[in-house]
Amino acid sequence: MSIRNIVAVTFFAVVALFLIFGALMTHPFGEFDEDNTPEMDQYIIDNTQSETGADNVVTAVVFDYRGFDTLGEATVLFTAVAGVILIFRRVKK
Amino acid sequence: MSGMSRIVKTMASVTFPLALIYGLYIIAHGHLTPGGGFQGGAVVASACIMILVAYGSVWTMGKIKEKRLSAFESLGALGFICLAFFGLIFGANYFFNNFLVHPEGLDIIFNGTAKGLSNINTAGVIPLMNFAVGLKVIVGLFAIVLVMAYATTKLKGEK
């Protein structure tokens, strides 16, 4: 067994243990854990309808509460399109 | 060779408006139902890419150039940022303020919050931002695929 395989198996075991224990330590699906829920979640769920008038809470968060983050996403898309158009242009000889 | 067979072209032409309407519905109802500008824009861009695959990149490039698509994408981005800056000017003086929504204000268009369920004309700037982002995603994704397909196509006279 080469040293490369030993390193790979060790890395795999560490990551697998990390993932398994991480999955076991999450609280059960669908149960409301009041101690570990941030206040921001409950505030957004309670007040989105009256503050923004949008039924879709996700869109309200993306475009209103966290609009600055969406601006970054739009900038990423713009940069990607500009780069692809720049690279894949047809050079006329 | 431009495009696929006549059967594929006909089927693409028939299914294109349905996919177009579905994507535009997702964009327009972004603040009411699951979805939004990004998701609906991806659906409409997929419909446009289906036309591109069926008819070939040379035919599509003859219909619309990528410079025009790029201009439309810049228009979407400008609309999005302008709506954000309007909140700075007209609203409560901070960036991305939803300045059209006033719970006790007049019942004008795009302002109908806290009066029961939302409708198509509520939620202030959120639908307008959905339209801007939707336009941006439609032409952005379509421009990427169009340019890639056209650059890898052999034109007549090329070896």
Side-chain angles (χ1 to χ4, degrees), chain A residues 49-56 59-60 62-64 67-68 70-71 73-75 77-78 80-81 84-85 88-90, chain B residues 30-31 33 35 38 73 80-81 95-96 98 101 113 116 118 122-123 126 129-130 133 136 140 147-148 150-151 153 158:
Chain A
Q49 175 75 52
S50 58
E51 279 184 356
T52 66
D55 280 351
N56 189 353
T59 306
V62 165
F63 285 101
D64 194 341
F68 203 67
T70 309
L71 181 63
E73 280 181 43
T75 313
L77 182 67
F78 186 81
V81 173
V84 169
I85 289 179
F88 283 94
R89 71 193 187 281
R90 235 174 222 282
Chain B
H31 58 297
T33 54
F38 283 103
E73 199 207 356
F80 186 65
I81 296 176
F95 207 42
F96 278 105
N98 202 339
V101 168
T113 180
S118 301
T122 59
I126 293 176
M129 282 184 172
N130 263 325
V133 171
K136 188 172 162 48
V147 168
M148 281 176 146
Y150 188 66
T153 308
E158 280 186 349

Side-chain angles (χ1 to χ4, degrees), chain A residues 7-37:
Chain A
V7 169
V9 167
T10 313
F11 186 73
F12 172 76
V14 168
V15 172
L17 279 177
F18 185 76
L19 286 178
I20 287 168
F21 279 106
L24 289 177
M25 281 161 69
T26 53
H27 66 82
F29 178 74
E31 284 187 14
F32 183 65
D33 189 2
E34 196 161 340
D35 299 331
N36 294 323
T37 304

Side-chain angles (χ1 to χ4, degrees), chain A residues 74-75 77-78, chain B residues 72-73 76-77 131-141:
Chain A
T75 313
L77 182 67
F78 186 81
Chain B
F72 271 112
E73 199 207 356
F131 279 122
V133 171
L135 178 68
K136 188 172 162 48
V137 172
I138 291 168
V139 292
L141 294 183

Side-chain angles (χ1 to χ4, degrees), chain B residues 6-30:
Chain B
R6 188 181 293 270
I7 301 169
V8 178
K9 283 181 182 176
T10 309
M11 282 315 293
S13 303
V14 168
T15 49
F16 175 65
L18 302 174
L20 201 68
I21 287 172
Y22 181 56
L24 292 177
Y25 167 84
I26 289 177
I27 294 175
H29 289 72

